[in-house]
Amino acid sequence: MKKKFVFNGIKDFNLAHIFECGQCFRWNPVEDENGNVELDEFGNPTGAYIGVAGAYAARMQFQDDTLTIEATGGDESFWWHYLDLDTDYGVIKRELRKVIPSYVLEERGDSEANLSLLVKKRGSETRPQISIRILNQDKFETIISFIISQNNNIPRIKKLIEALCERYGEPISGSEELTADGRMLFSFPTIESVAAINPSELAEMKFGYRADYIPAAAKRFMEEGEPESYEDLIAYLGIGPKVANCIQLFGLHKVDAFPIDTWVKHIMNDMYGFKESDTRGMAQFAEERFGTLAGYAQQYLFFYYRK
DNA sequence: ACCCAGGTGGCTT
DNA sequence: AAGCCACATGGG
C-alpha cells in the first residue's frame, strides 16, 4: 500500500518554504509526541511534512539534497511534477536578483520580521537562499480553496478546508500509517460531491458568507467545463481579480500571474511607494518589471514580508 | 469594542 | 472608473 520514492540531487528545495508560502493549505510539519516542531535558526521547521495532494497523502523529508517521499499512492512522475522538479529555480532566482533586492531572496529570522523594508539595511552577510517552488496543484481544489481564502487568514483557511475534506472527501487508506497519531487524512472532495452540498451545511460549519459560493462554483465547473482564462474565472461568484490570479498561478501554473492581496499591497507601498488602493498601478509595474517571472517574484516577496 | 485576514459583490457617485 | 460598505468568522 505505502510507496516510497527517493529523489537525489535536488537543488533549490526547502519543504518549509514550499509549503508555507501561502500557495497550499493542506501540508503541515510533523509534530513530535509533545506537539512540538523543531525549528532552524531562521524559525522554519526542519523536519518532515505531511499532507495531501489530490487523492494521495504523503510524508516528505528533505536532507542533503535528497528528497524522500512516503505516499499512499501516485507514481514517481506524479510527485516529481507536483513539486515542479523539472524547473530550474537557480535560473529563476538569478534573473530575479536583477529586479528585486537580493535580501528578499535570502533566509532571515523571525526577529527581523516586522522591520520596514525602507529602514532595513542588510549589509553584505550571506545567507541561505529562499527555496520556494510553485506546486502543480489540482485546478478544482485550488478554485475552492482560494474562494475560501477571501478576507480570511491562513490558519482559519486551513481549518475550513480540512473540515470540508473530512466531511465530503474520502478517507485515504494508508494515511493512518503516515500520521504521527494514526489519524486518517481525507482527499479533497470531488467536483460532484461539492456541487451536491447544501450551502446551509457549510454555514453551520462556519464558512460564513462564502458558504453559497462553494457549491455554486462546483456546479458551474461541471456545467461549463474547466475554466482556463482570467475572464472565465472572474465570472464565478466569489472570484475577483485577486483570487483569479491565485488560481491562475497555483492551479493553472500560469507563472506570470501576480496576485495582489493585502500583504502585497503593504509590500508595494513600502518598497515602491504605491498607494495601497492603486492595484492597477501595481499590476502594471509587476508586468513591466518582473514580466514572465511575476508569479515567482510575488511568491518570494510574499514569503519575505509575511514571515 | 475595534481592527485585521492571501477580497468580492453591489450600489452610488 | 472610482469610492463606499456589508459580508461571517475568529484572533489579537
Side-chain angles (χ1 to χ4, degrees), chain A residues 20 28-40 43-49:
Chain A
E20 299 191 22
N28 295 292
V30 175
E31 299 175 347
D32 64 18
E33 314 81 62
N34 304 319
N36 296 320
V37 172
E38 191 193 332
L39 304 177
D40 65 17
N44 290 312
T46 55
Y49 271 75

Side-chain angles (χ1 to χ4, degrees), chain A residues 34 46 55 85 131 139 146 150 196 204 213 240 254 281 299:
Chain A
N34 304 319
T46 55
L85 293 174
S131 295
K139 190 186 295 183
F146 279 92
Q150 69 168 260
E204 284 169 18
Y213 300 159
K254 190 176 182 301
Q299 284 296 274

Side-chain angles (χ1 to χ4, degrees), chain A residues 278-290:
Chain A
D278 185 17
T279 53
R280 178 78 190 82
M282 294 176 195
Q284 193 177 340
F285 176 89
E287 188 179 345
E288 289 168 3
R289 180 128 173 180
F290 307 132

Side-chain angles (χ1 to χ4, degrees), chain A residues 241-270:
Chain A
K242 186 272 172 180
V243 168
N245 276 309
C246 282
I247 295 166
Q248 293 238 297
L249 179 55
F250 305 133
L252 286 76
H253 211 75
K254 190 176 182 301
V255 294
D256 59 338
F258 190 79
I260 301 172
D261 70 338
T262 55
W263 295 102
V264 174
K265 287 176 189 172
H266 299 332
I267 294 164
M268 298 295 277
N269 171 257
D270 204 350

Side-chain angles (χ1 to χ4, degrees), chain A residues 92-159:
Chain A
I92 292 166
K93 280 186 276 192
R94 213 170 303 142
E95 290 301 312
L96 284 178
R97 211 165 294 132
K98 299 172 186 168
V99 289
I100 53 180
S102 62
Y103 57 75
V104 170
L105 298 167
E106 295 168 359
E107 276 272 27
R108 69 208 181 94
D110 288 346
S111 60
E112 304 168 81
N114 293 317
L115 298 178
S116 164
L117 288 160
L118 293 177
V119 302
K120 181 183 293 298
K121 287 280 181 282
R122 169 53 52 73
S124 59
E125 59 187 308
T126 59
R127 298 188 175 215
Q129 294 288 299
I130 301 291
S131 295
I132 287 166
R133 282 172 179 270
I134 309 271
L135 299 168
N136 287 285
Q137 301 185 76
D138 179 77
K139 190 186 295 183
F140 178 68
E141 174 171 349
T142 307
I143 288 173
I144 300 301
S145 297
F146 279 92
I147 286 175
I148 293 169
S149 79
Q150 69 168 260
N151 202 29
N152 214 338
N153 57 65
I154 290 178
R156 206 169 89 88
I157 296 164
K158 293 174 82 162
K159 274 186 203 167

